[in-house]
């Protein structure tokens, strides 16, 4: 079973639709106390319903206690549960509520920001314990659907999946990263006129980046470090890890590094995919 939760306005409905497209049976706005009953009903379908997802939110005042108890009950009865937590920055959430002309479910007579702050406090522990955290601040509906597909499109008995993600520091740190590395110690191809319009996916930029002192040592050393970390994540029951590599704008150095690191990890037998958060923003 999968649980879809997170901040109001962060894209729960879009994630639910993406799961439905992947063949999941999705129940929206389910009270947490009914989760064990839903899992039990799914188990009585003789295999016709193999994957169930439930969308839950904070409209219940007893949300956190109910959800914690429900998940413990599911685990006690042998039901494997993964939690997808959707997040976004406060300013993005405010803009989304204002554009839809809808109040935040927890704002009462206050401001939208008051409701967002209250929700963050309620969901703090749940976010920390989630299997997958997706920051949807810069994602459109298609990109969010693709991200859900990367994490939930295959059967979940495969161990750890690693997403290597490039990003630009000037757009902020990725909130869904487990590990963050900085490659701004390398010269910036942005200042080479013929390289400026290209990206880290292009051979001239890639060659330039890896011709710099320390570049090759950095990526090979980081790949070796991740080989040490990955088995520990698996022993702790972690199924997904996001490794973020940043440069100034997320266009040249971090993209080249992320592509190269992904290839090295695949050669070492890890299940890995690559994503470029800020490519195309400039």
């Amino acid at each position: 079973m999968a649980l879809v939760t997170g901040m109001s306005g962060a894209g729960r409905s879009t994630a639910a639709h993406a799961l439905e497209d992947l063949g999941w049976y999705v129940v929206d706005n389910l009270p947490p106390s009914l989760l064990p009953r839903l899992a039990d009903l799914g188990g009585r379908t003789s295999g016709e319903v193999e994957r169930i997802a439930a969308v839950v939110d904070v409209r219940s005042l007893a949300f956190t206690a109910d959800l914690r108890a429900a998940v413990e009950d599911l685990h006690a009865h042998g039901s494997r549960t993964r939690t997808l937590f959707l997040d976004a920055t406060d300013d993005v959430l405010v803009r989304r509520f204002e554009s839809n002309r809808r109040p935040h479910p927890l704002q009462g007579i206050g401001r939208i920001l008051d409701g967002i702050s209250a929700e963050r406090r309620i969901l703090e522990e749940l976010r920390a314990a989630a299997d997958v955290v997706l920051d949807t601040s810069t994602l459109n509906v298609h990109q969010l659907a693709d991200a859900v597909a990367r994490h939930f499109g295959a059967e979940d008995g495969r161990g750890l999946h690693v997403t290597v993600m490039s990003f630009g520091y000037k757009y902020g740190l990725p909130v869904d990263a487990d590990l963050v590395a900085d490659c701004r110690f390398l010269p910036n191809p942005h200042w080479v006129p013929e390289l400026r319009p290209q990206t880290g996916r292009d051979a001239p930029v890639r060659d330039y980046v890896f011709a710099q002192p320390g570049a090759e040592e950095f990526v090979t050393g980081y790949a070796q470090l991740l080989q040490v970390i990955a088995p520990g994540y698996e022993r702790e029951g972690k199924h997904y890890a996001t490794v973020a590599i940043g440069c100034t704008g997320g266009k040249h150095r971090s993209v080249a590094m992320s592509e190269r690191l992904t290839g090295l990890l695949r050669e070492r037998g890890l299940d890995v995919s690559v994503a470029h958060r800020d490519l195309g923003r400039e």
Side-chain angles (χ1 to χ4, degrees):
M1 174 180 282
L3 301 181
V4 180
T5 188
M7 297 297 295
S8 300
R12 290 192 304 257
S13 295
T14 299
H17 293 152
L19 288 171
E20 286 181 338
D21 292 341
L22 294 169
W24 289 73
Y25 181 82
V26 180
V27 180
D28 196 4
N29 193 23
L30 187 74
S33 59
L34 295 181
L35 285 171
R37 185 175 300 178
L38 177 64
D40 181 59
L41 290 173
R44 298 181 185 181
T45 62
S46 301
E48 293 182 14
V49 180
E50 295 182 352
R51 298 190 293 176
I52 299 175
V55 183
V56 292
D57 60 37
V58 296
R59 278 173 279 188
S60 167
L61 293 177
F63 173 84
T64 50
D66 285 353
L67 184 57
R68 189 180 304 112
V71 171
E72 290 174 355
D73 193 5
L74 288 169
H75 289 166
H77 288 83
S79 178
R80 191 173 182 180
T81 304
R82 291 184 290 157
T83 302
L84 168 63
F85 190 99
L86 300 172
D87 203 351
T89 60
D90 287 0
D91 59 323
V92 169
L93 293 175
V94 169
R95 287 200 301 271
R96 290 175 182 173
F97 276 105
E98 288 180 341
S99 65
N100 292 328
R101 298 183 180 180
R102 296 183 61 191
H104 188 281
L106 298 184
Q107 77 178 75
I109 61 172
R111 303 173 302 160
I112 293 175
L113 270 175
D114 296 329
I116 292 172
S117 298
E119 189 174 31
R120 286 204 186 280
R121 289 193 297 270
I122 293 172
L123 297 178
E124 183 178 8
E125 291 185 9
L126 181 59
R127 186 187 188 282
D131 298 285
V132 180
V133 178
L134 291 180
D135 179 8
T136 69
S137 301
T138 61
L139 303 182
N140 60 37
V141 293
H142 305 294
Q143 292 168 330
L144 175 54
D146 288 343
V148 171
R150 286 200 305 271
H151 290 292
F152 291 89
E155 299 298 325
D156 66 359
R158 56 180 180 166
L160 179 71
H161 175 79
V162 178
T163 298
V164 179
M165 179 174 62
S166 69
F167 73 95
Y169 276 94
K170 72 178 185 179
Y171 300 115
L173 286 167
V175 300
D176 49 349
D178 297 287
L179 300 166
V180 177
D182 185 352
C183 62
R184 290 176 296 180
F185 67 93
L186 298 169
N188 193 346
H190 175 82
W191 302 115
V192 181
E194 61 269 27
L195 298 180
R196 183 176 299 176
Q198 301 184 54
T199 77
R201 286 175 164 172
D202 296 313
V205 173
R206 183 172 63 247
D207 294 344
Y208 176 86
V209 169
F210 286 103
Q212 306 304 319
E216 191 66 41
E217 293 83 354
F218 174 84
V219 72
T220 55
Y222 202 31
Q224 292 171 352
L225 176 63
L226 292 172
Q227 273 192 289
V228 175
I229 293 172
Y233 276 161
E234 291 194 62
R235 288 192 296 270
E236 292 299 312
K238 188 174 181 65
H239 301 291
Y240 302 94
T242 298
V243 177
I245 300 180
C247 63
T248 303
K251 179 179 179 181
H252 296 112
R253 293 165 291 180
S254 64
V255 172
M257 279 289 177
S258 295
E259 293 281 347
R260 180 65 181 278
L261 179 61
T262 298
L264 290 175
L265 294 178
R266 282 178 181 156
E267 290 175 3
R268 288 161 169 77
L270 289 177
D271 180 21
V272 59
S273 61
V274 65
H276 302 297
R277 190 191 74 174
D278 299 321
L279 192 59
R281 295 187 68 171
E282 290 188 350

